[in-house]
Amino acid sequence: MDEQRVRERGPAQWWRYGPPWWHRTDDGAAEPARSRLPWRSTVLLTALVLAGSNFAARQQPHREPLDGPARLLILVTCVLLLWRHRHPVPVAFGTAGLALVYLGAGYPYGPLFAAVAVACFGAIVAGHRRAAWAAVGMLWGGHLLISLWLYRWLPPPGDGGAALGQEMIIATWVLIIVSVAELARVRREQWARERADRAQAARRRADEERLRIARELHDVLAHSISVINVQAGMGLALLDSDPEQARAALTTIKAASKEALGEVRQVLDTLRAPGDAPRTPAPGLGRLPELVEQAAGAGLTVTVEGEPPRLPPGADLAAFRIVQEALTNVVRHSRSRHARVRLERGGGELRLRIDDDGPATGADAGGSGNGLAGMRERAAALGGTIEAGPRDGGGFRVLAVLPFDDREDR
């Protein structure tokens, strides 16, 4: 699904996080591709430098002719660029040193300096700023020394010194190249941060989805298994003395297990196809009578005060699961056989109150902890709150406040 969405968005989305060839390895990971040699770009640059140097030699007849050693220097300088990703610092100094040898031999000025610019550009982008600046400074300082002083003893014969203005132009071009490289480095770091933020957000969404599914499974299974456990105990106790009541208990077990399987299947369907619409609607407060009937089958009489309001799907599901978990805790952890559910809506929020008369069967009157934590997470996801604890007159109370947008259900 993610790959399909990337293809639909097109190349513009790729460039948002950097060109693909800067951050792509052989296995498709978004990391710098350092395992492969950039031979295509190097071959193209070598051809351009050789062709441009031949053209420059015809335009500078006063310089030394472009002979075999000159072409060998050009070729070796460009071949070094094959390792500019793996070893950016040696390549930067190597190309700058070979370019100085080329200039010292009196060969014509030409596009050989492009190879040095590419090497230093790669070193700066890779994070070796000082080394790249040092290589560029070495080349410019060596050229300055040759053109202003050493030209007297170096070929070609009769060569005159360069003017200071010409050197300033060269220095300006050097600064432009280095500045562009620095901008590329900064942009690449921004792309890396954006990719890291995007990956972190994806992991956070995956964690939230796993937590949501865990809450759903806990609520479904805890409630259904509690009902099944109570009915199984009742059926075993009445199997010999009252077979009809035992049959009714088994019927309740069958219905509860069927419903639990259906809800578990619905949760698992969202795992298999997260982008598809659910086959069955999510439960809500409209199923509150069904929940009351299941609790009655477990021996718990539930009184509902107030009418279930119409709520947005998210708030409706959270409210249903909170009531379901609270009643499950009464069945499992309280000796009370009566519980009250009160629903109040007003001011853009729903107030749920679930009370039982107690006493608790143990220290964990409100549950083992996972159920209460799940209720708090559901309420917090909607910006609401959960208060749970013993009542003053005995028993246990769960009070949930769930805000929602009134406009969503109009």
Side-chain angles (χ1 to χ4, degrees), residues 15 21 31 63 70 74 115 141 148 180 186 188 221 232 236 251 264 268-269 272 277 279 293 311 313 316 378 386:
W15 279 84
W21 58 84
E31 292 294 337
R63 304 288 294 178
I74 294 174
L148 296 181
V180 171
V186 171
R188 190 182 190 187
L221 295 177
L236 287 174
T251 302
V264 169
L268 295 180
D269 284 344
R272 295 190 181 98
R279 298 178 182 177
E293 183 180 352
L311 298 173
D316 203 18
R378 288 185 184 276
I386 287 282

Side-chain angles (χ1 to χ4, degrees), residues 71-285:
R71 290 186 172 86
L72 181 61
L73 277 173
I74 294 174
L75 185 62
V76 173
T77 302
C78 293
V79 168
L80 282 179
L81 296 178
L82 286 171
W83 292 274
R84 65 182 183 269
H85 294 320
R86 296 183 180 179
H87 309 288
V89 174
V91 170
F93 280 103
T95 53
L98 289 174
L100 272 180
V101 174
Y102 178 89
L103 290 176
Y107 294 120
Y109 292 92
L112 179 65
F113 298 106
V116 182
V118 170
C120 293
F121 184 93
I124 290 176
V125 169
H128 303 281
R129 304 170 60 198
R130 294 182 180 179
W133 278 86
V136 171
M138 180 186 74
L139 177 60
W140 183 72
H143 176 264
L144 193 64
L145 189 63
I146 291 172
S147 60
L148 296 181
W149 183 47
L150 295 179
Y151 70 91
R152 299 183 181 89
W153 300 282
L154 295 175
D159 187 22
L164 188 60
Q166 181 180 354
E167 293 301 322
M168 294 303 297
I169 294 176
I170 295 176
T172 301
W173 277 107
V174 169
L175 290 176
I176 290 174
I177 293 173
V178 172
S179 300
V180 171
E182 289 287 349
L183 289 175
R185 179 190 61 82
V186 171
R187 185 55 181 155
R188 190 182 190 187
E189 291 177 353
Q190 291 176 349
W191 282 329
R193 287 194 296 269
E194 290 172 358
R195 290 196 309 275
D197 293 341
R198 185 176 57 171
Q200 184 178 3
R203 288 193 298 269
R204 185 170 58 252
R205 287 193 298 270
D207 291 340
E208 292 173 352
E209 182 66 12
R210 284 194 294 269
L211 183 61
R212 183 190 68 81
I213 293 172
R215 284 198 303 264
E216 288 292 320
L217 290 175
H218 173 274
D219 292 346
V220 170
L221 295 177
H223 174 75
S224 301
I225 290 175
S226 296
V227 173
I228 291 171
N229 180 60
V230 171
Q231 292 296 326
M234 184 184 302
L236 287 174
L238 300 175
L239 183 61
D240 296 326
S241 60
D242 194 345
E244 289 301 322
Q245 287 293 331
R247 183 186 299 274
L250 290 176
T251 302
T252 303
I253 290 175
K254 180 180 179 181
S257 60
K258 181 179 180 180
E259 181 183 358
L261 287 174
E263 293 202 32
V264 169
R265 188 178 295 113
Q266 179 183 357
V267 174
L268 295 180
D269 284 344
T270 63
L271 270 179
R272 295 190 181 98
D276 297 343
R279 298 178 182 177
T280 58
L285 289 179

